[in-house]
């Protein structure tokens, strides 16, 4: 490992900030020795803040209808091979009931930008979940909405919101999205969410088409300055029925490297070891935890619809019942010295 890379890792660990040029150099400085060094530091930091707890989120993928046409996404509007579905309110509440019984204390409602879910209907659902499970956190991941919409949902009882920025480089964003989607609007949404008071999550795909060390440096600098409560990164995995289906996937090592960098940058951040990471390697989620992550998100959706929520090819865990998913993950975490917890898992800023 070069002295220059060691110096950059030292600086990031102590000061939690680098320049754009330094981030780009660090992104390019990955070696096996450097990965071992930064992962050890990242684990030490996350244990100082969160101990050995791994927070578990119950993911409910409640609709795969989407008005958007993102070039990388399997549920994009123009993918006519996608088998569309929309869960009913009763089906969503049944997922929550099952999850609560299994010890889940955070529910993540994730879906495409489906026009059926107006503010009125979605607020009613959030209020029902809040009334039934007052001790649980409700996280939404339903894309770009107006500030007024975000405010109404917050007042209804949602406390967290996940919205990946996808890339902090505007030119890169415009290559990954159709012309009707706006980089500036995505950034506006994130700022609105933070100002309203949500615990906010952003994030990006690792190894997406046209990504460079410089665009990754922009991502890291944005995350440093935005200081999200959560940050979801995972490897880009192509979907065969999209315009970017023939592009190569992001790599395990680069994703682990970036997870460790983000942990040094933001010691408090809630950092998932994603399903995508588990998709590209059988022990990807365990390796993510050992690189500094501290969140996993098993699926509470009905098994009958899981294969239909296919953002990318070969997604794992589409056939297991929720109890099986939780038990499997608990065993996986125990095998590396960590433990799933039923805590809500709020961010720890101090």
């Amino acid at each position: 490992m070069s002295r220059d890379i060691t110096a950059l890792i030292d600086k990031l660990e102590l000061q939690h900030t680098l320049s754009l040029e330094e981030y780009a150099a660090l992104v390019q400085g990955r070696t096996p020795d450097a990965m071992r060094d930064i992962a050890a530091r990242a684990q030490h930091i996350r244990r100082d803040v969160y101990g050995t707890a791994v927070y578990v989120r119950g993911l409910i993928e409640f609709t795969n209808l989407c008005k958007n046409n993102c070039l990388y996404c399997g549920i994009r509007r123009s993918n006519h091979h996608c088998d569309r579905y929309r869960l009913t309110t009763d089906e969503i509440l049944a997922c929550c009931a099952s999850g609560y019984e299994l010890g889940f204390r955070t529910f993540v409602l994730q879906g495409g930008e489906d026009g059926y879910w107006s503010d009125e209907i979605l607020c009613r659902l959030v209020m029902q979940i809040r009334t039934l499970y007052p001790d649980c956190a409700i996280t939404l991941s339903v894309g770009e909405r107006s500030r007024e919409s975000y405010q109404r949902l917050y007042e209804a009882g949602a406390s967290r919101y996940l919205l990946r920025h996808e890339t902090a480089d505007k030119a890169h964003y415009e290559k990954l999205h159709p012309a009707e989607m706006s980089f500036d609007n995505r950034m506006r949404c994130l700022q609105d969410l933070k100002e309203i008071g949500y615990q906010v999550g952003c994030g990006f795909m690792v190894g997406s088409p046209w990504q460079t060390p410089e665009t990754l440096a922009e991502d890291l600098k944005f995350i440093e300055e935005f200081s999200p409560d959560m940050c979801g990164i995972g490897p880009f995995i192509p979907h065969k029925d999209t315009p970017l289906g023939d592009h190569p996937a992001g790599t395990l090592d680069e994703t682990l490297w970036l997870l460790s960098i983000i942990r040094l940058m933001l010691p408090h951040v809630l950092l998932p070891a994603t399903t995508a990471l588990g998709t590209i390697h059988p022990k990807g989620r365990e390796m993510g935890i050992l690189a500094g992550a501290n969140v996993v998100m098993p699926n509470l959706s009905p098994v009958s619809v899981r294969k239909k929520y296919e953002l990318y090819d070969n997604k794992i865990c589409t056939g297991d019942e929720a109890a099986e998913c939780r038990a499997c993950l608990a065993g996986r975490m125990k095998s590396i010295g960590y433990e799933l917890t039923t805590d809500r898992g709020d961010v720890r800023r101090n």
Side-chain angles (χ1 to χ4, degrees), residues 4-5 8-9 11-13 15-30 38 204 212-226 254 257-258 260-266:
D4 289 345
I5 296 303
L8 288 175
I9 294 172
K11 180 178 178 180
L12 186 60
E13 183 176 15
Q15 300 180 21
H16 312 302
T17 181
L18 295 176
S19 68
L20 274 173
E21 294 75 17
E22 288 171 328
Y23 276 127
L26 185 56
V27 165
Q28 296 177 86
R30 171 171 50 86
I38 199 170
F204 61 91
T212 66
E214 289 71 31
T215 58
L216 280 170
E218 294 275 5
D219 284 317
L220 293 170
K221 194 65 182 175
F222 168 73
I223 291 165
E224 175 203 304
E225 293 175 347
F226 185 67
E254 187 168 28
W257 179 241
L258 289 162
S260 296
I261 288 172
I262 292 169
R263 175 60 66 196
L264 265 62
M265 177 203 303
L266 299 175

Side-chain angles (χ1 to χ4, degrees), residues 85-127:
Y85 74 92
R86 178 188 295 135
L87 297 184
T88 66
T89 295
D90 286 346
E91 287 173 323
I92 295 167
L93 294 176
C95 294
C96 293
S98 171
Y100 192 84
E101 188 174 337
L102 291 168
F104 291 81
R105 294 299 178 265
T106 292
F107 302 122
V108 180
L109 301 181
Q110 183 176 51
E113 294 193 23
D114 177 356
Y116 169 82
W117 293 97
S118 64
D119 289 351
E120 181 180 355
I121 295 173
L122 193 53
C123 283
R124 188 184 309 131
L125 172 64
V126 169
M127 286 188 283

Side-chain angles (χ1 to χ4, degrees), residues 164-188:
R164 284 190 173 187
H165 65 279
E166 299 301 358
T167 173
D169 180 278
K170 186 172 183 177
H172 187 213
Y173 182 94
E174 290 171 353
K175 290 180 180 179
L176 295 171
H177 299 88
E180 67 263 22
M181 294 186 70
S182 162
F183 172 83
D184 293 334
N185 191 58
R186 181 65 59 100
M187 291 300 178
R188 186 273 304 166

Side-chain angles (χ1 to χ4, degrees), residues 315-332:
K315 181 181 172 185
I316 59 169
C317 299
T318 58
D320 296 335
E321 295 290 347
E324 294 174 311
C325 282
R326 193 192 186 288
C328 172
L329 273 174
R332 286 172 175 267

Side-chain angles (χ1 to χ4, degrees), residues 56-236:
V56 61
R57 317 301 201 198
L59 181 62
I60 303 170
E61 295 164 336
F62 69 101
T63 177
N64 74 348
L65 282 83
C66 190
K67 69 177 185 181
N68 292 330
N69 225 6
C70 304
L71 275 65
Y72 48 81
C73 184
I75 65 170
R76 67 195 304 265
R77 182 183 72 235
S78 293
N79 180 10
H80 301 299
H81 299 287
C82 182
D83 187 2
R84 304 292 176 176
Y85 74 92
R86 178 188 295 135
L87 297 184
T88 66
T89 295
D90 286 346
E91 287 173 323
I92 295 167
L93 294 176
C95 294
C96 293
S98 171
Y100 192 84
E101 188 174 337
L102 291 168
F104 291 81
R105 294 299 178 265
T106 292
F107 302 122
V108 180
L109 301 181
Q110 183 176 51
E113 294 193 23
D114 177 356
Y116 169 82
W117 293 97
S118 64
D119 289 351
E120 181 180 355
I121 295 173
L122 193 53
C123 283
R124 188 184 309 131
L125 172 64
V126 169
M127 286 188 283
Q128 286 178 277
I129 298 172
R130 169 61 57 234
T131 300
L132 289 167
Y133 307 104
D135 56 331
C136 292
I138 301 172
T139 303
L140 299 177
S141 181
V142 290
E144 298 178 7
R145 300 174 80 96
S146 68
R147 184 182 181 116
E148 179 186 17
S149 175
Y150 290 146
Q151 184 70 50
R152 290 182 64 182
L153 291 164
Y154 185 76
E155 291 170 359
S159 51
R160 302 175 185 156
Y161 203 102
L162 306 179
L163 180 65
R164 284 190 173 187
H165 65 279
E166 299 301 358
T167 173
D169 180 278
K170 186 172 183 177
H172 187 213
Y173 182 94
E174 290 171 353
K175 290 180 180 179
L176 295 171
H177 299 88
E180 67 263 22
M181 294 186 70
S182 162
F183 172 83
D184 293 334
N185 191 58
R186 181 65 59 100
M187 291 300 178
R188 186 273 304 166
C189 289
L190 283 166
Q191 195 59 46
D192 284 350
L193 289 162
K194 195 167 193 179
E195 290 173 3
I196 287 167
Y198 284 93
Q199 290 184 35
V200 183
C202 62
F204 61 91
M205 299 176 292
V206 178
S208 63
W210 308 291
Q211 190 177 73
T212 66
E214 289 71 31
T215 58
L216 280 170
E218 294 275 5
D219 284 317
L220 293 170
K221 194 65 182 175
F222 168 73
I223 291 165
E224 175 203 304
E225 293 175 347
F226 185 67
S227 189
D229 302 291
M230 301 162 280
C231 186
I233 72 166
F236 165 74

